[in-house]
Amino acid sequence: MSNRKYTVIDLFAGCGGLSLGLYQAGWSGVFAVEKNKCAFETLKHNLIDKKHHFNWPEWLSQEPTDIIELLKNYKDELKSLRGKIDLVAGGPPCQGFSMAGKRMEDDERNQLVFSYISFIRLVRPKLLLFENVKGFTYSFDKAKNPDAIPYSKIVVEQLEGLGYDVTPYIINFAEFGVPQRRKRFILVGVRKSIKIHSNEFMGKLKEQFPDFINQYGLTATPTLSDAISDLLRSNGTEPTPDRHGFLSGRYGRATTSYQKYLRKGIPVSSVVPDSHSFARHTKEKTECFENLLQDNEIVGHRIDGDEREKWGIHQRGITVLDPNTVSPTITGAPDDYLHYNEPRIMTVRECARIQSFPDWYEFRSKYTTGGEMRKKEVPRYSQVGNAIPPLFAHQAGLVLKGMLS
């Protein structure tokens, strides 16, 4: 493979999961577009300030940026990038399409899909990598309107109209070494003037996987316990450095290849992992969690609806995690899951481990938020839950580089 630097722009970059994986695969960032200041602060701290991943253009400020404003104010600058950009990656916010949330056709975030297409029209990269939730492939209100077309089909047709050979995939990241069942819509596009085909992507991804995990000493199917068993509260606690009045867990011994891989770059003397701060549960909630953990029949089972009353659960539902299999999909809601052997919800760092973020990747802004502020703030839990797992992005980045070379 040649030593030339392959260039990438990351749209809707969030806290940087996709950019991190592409950085690990040897890509050279040009810039990233992320509107939310909380998520951008995390991306900037890790990938701009620490890793110098981006060769940021002088005409664009290193600050949170709305893609609609970018398209309006920098049309000529974006056009001038034609012929210089190998890959445009990223996925518009997916909450309006998510099957886990309230699927809302009129969610204004859905329209950002068309901003993505406008960006492609201006920049004309050689390759595209587009990610969204599986629900992106389903039509809204199919029962009321049988002719409704899913957004995924609209995007494919518009990109083909711009001269791209496009192949959509549904990919479960658990099949690529991520300890989590997380199915996502992934679309790969190649400019038709280039003599490679987008339908090569999946075959190359699967073909490369055994060598990839061997190179990094990983296993093909790590479990939840493999990912986080060194982060138990029983290891001891220290005051959380950046969260007054809370306690963080101490590092235990790394016992699995996955833990050792994600702890690379952390000094041996480190005691407290970043963002490993425990929630302060009420006595009543802790007792409820202790009761749940004593019943082996409900492990891995979502407790919601009327069943909540039996256990005294007041939230919308909770799943007792199973240490011996992969985790369910990590979301931005911290109280969706109960730790598999401690009466508490997961920490941000534990969620980040399941998402395959290395421990040196530090999260910024508030830990969590609620109510109306959920629409404006993207605190640490949400940043992690919204991200593309870097371990998958790393593999995708290697395949895309191979296709270009």
Side-chain angles (χ1 to χ4, degrees):
M1 198 175 286
S2 73
N3 289 323
R4 92 166 177 86
K5 281 286 185 185
Y6 292 90
T7 52
V8 57
I9 295 170
D10 188 359
L11 303 181
F12 312 102
C15 70
L18 180 52
S19 272
L20 170 58
L22 294 173
Y23 163 76
Q24 291 170 323
W27 286 79
S28 178
V30 179
F31 61 87
V33 179
E34 173 50 48
K35 177 181 176 181
N36 183 270
K37 64 180 177 59
C38 307
F40 188 83
E41 188 183 350
T42 294
L43 179 140
K44 184 175 187 298
H45 172 72
N46 291 283
L47 292 174
I48 298 177
D49 299 342
K50 279 210 287 199
K51 295 297 182 184
H52 311 294
H53 170 49
F54 296 96
N55 184 23
W56 210 276
E58 289 183 6
W59 51 264
L60 184 64
S61 299
Q62 285 185 9
E63 61 185 15
T65 303
D66 185 331
I67 191 168
I68 295 169
E69 294 297 309
L70 179 74
L71 290 166
K72 188 168 76 179
N73 298 330
Y74 296 103
K75 202 169 185 177
D76 292 339
E77 288 84 350
L78 292 172
K79 270 188 181 176
S80 73
L81 294 173
R82 286 184 183 178
K84 300 173 186 174
I85 304 300
D86 294 307
L87 172 67
V88 168
C94 57
Q95 289 85 347
F97 305 112
S98 176
M99 305 305 285
K102 301 174 183 174
R103 264 171 72 77
M104 296 179 288
E105 186 168 14
D106 58 355
D107 191 319
E108 62 185 22
R109 292 169 295 194
N110 298 352
Q111 300 308 310
L112 293 171
V113 168
F114 300 107
S115 299
Y116 175 92
I117 291 164
S118 297
F119 189 94
I120 300 300
R121 186 179 288 115
L122 288 173
V123 176
R124 303 292 171 103
K126 291 174 185 167
L127 301 178
L128 313 169
L129 182 69
F130 177 100
E131 180 265 356
N132 217 296
V133 290
K134 191 180 172 187
F136 191 70
T137 62
Y138 302 129
S139 304
F140 288 98
D141 265 347
K142 191 75 174 170
K144 293 181 189 171
N145 180 9
D147 298 324
I149 298 172
Y151 272 73
S152 58
K153 191 174 180 188
I154 297 169
V155 169
V156 168
E157 287 174 355
Q158 294 211 10
L159 291 173
E160 286 177 343
L162 291 177
Y164 286 87
D165 166 52
V166 178
T167 303
Y169 302 96
I170 298 293
I171 296 180
N172 182 359
F173 297 148
E175 294 173 9
F176 296 96
V178 178
Q180 175 187 184
R181 284 189 304 278
R182 193 178 186 91
K183 289 186 178 178
R184 286 297 186 265
F185 172 80
I186 301 284
L187 187 147
V188 176
V190 181
R191 217 168 55 211
K192 286 177 183 171
S193 56
I194 302 169
K195 301 302 178 195
I196 51 175
H197 296 287
S198 57
N199 62 7
E200 298 174 23
F201 176 78
M202 181 61 87
K204 290 180 183 293
L205 195 64
K206 288 179 175 176
E207 184 185 324
Q208 163 195 274
F209 180 59
D211 288 339
F212 178 85
I213 57 171
N214 284 341
Q215 181 181 346
Y216 292 99
L218 294 167
T219 55
T221 51
T223 64
L224 174 64
S225 173
D226 290 338
I228 64 169
S229 65
D230 60 330
L231 299 177
L232 295 171
R233 184 166 185 147
S234 56
N235 294 333
T237 58
E238 300 280 338
T240 300
D242 56 2
R243 198 183 190 193
H244 182 69
F246 285 79
L247 295 174
S248 281
R250 297 168 64 100
Y251 270 121
R253 192 165 63 87
T255 56
T256 69
S257 57
Y258 189 85
Q259 291 166 16
K260 290 169 186 172
Y261 173 71
L262 292 186
R263 281 171 66 164
K264 277 180 185 167
I266 294 292
V268 179
S269 58
S270 289
V271 174
V272 177
D274 169 71
S275 300
H276 189 35
S277 179
F278 299 116
R280 292 185 303 204
H281 297 310
T282 62
K283 185 182 175 202
E284 179 191 22
K285 200 162 201 175
T286 301
E287 287 173 356
C288 168
F289 288 168
E290 285 171 343
N291 290 334
L292 287 166
L293 289 174
Q294 286 171 15
D295 189 333
N296 293 329
E297 297 297 313
I298 59 171
V299 173
H301 169 61
R302 175 84 174 161
I303 300 169
D304 53 19
D306 295 341
E307 194 181 359
R308 293 177 305 165
E309 288 183 30
K310 171 187 167 186
W311 297 99
I313 297 168
H314 301 301
Q315 62 201 64
R316 61 179 184 169
I318 195 164
T319 301
V320 182
L321 292 170
D322 183 347
N324 301 314
T325 185
V326 294
S327 164
T329 301
I330 292 298
T331 69
D335 48 5
D336 274 352
Y337 301 123
L338 174 60
H339 191 279
Y340 56 86
N341 77 352
E342 295 188 336
R344 60 177 179 83
I345 61 169
M346 308 283 278
T347 67
V348 171
R349 178 50 57 191
E350 287 168 328
C351 294
R353 280 280 189 88
I354 295 165
Q355 279 278 57
S356 74
F357 279 94
D359 286 15
W360 62 257
Y361 206 87
E362 298 173 339
F363 295 91
R364 290 291 185 257
S365 86
K366 290 162 71 170
Y367 276 76
T368 187
T369 194
E372 283 299 301
M373 292 310 290
R374 281 185 186 274
K375 295 178 183 175
K376 299 175 186 175
E377 293 183 339
V378 183
R380 298 185 194 192
Y381 277 104
S382 300
Q383 289 175 38
V384 173
N386 293 343
I388 295 178
L391 192 69
F392 173 79
H394 186 169
Q395 295 170 67
L398 292 173
V399 168
L400 294 168
K401 265 172 67 175
M403 287 169 70
L404 276 183
S405 64

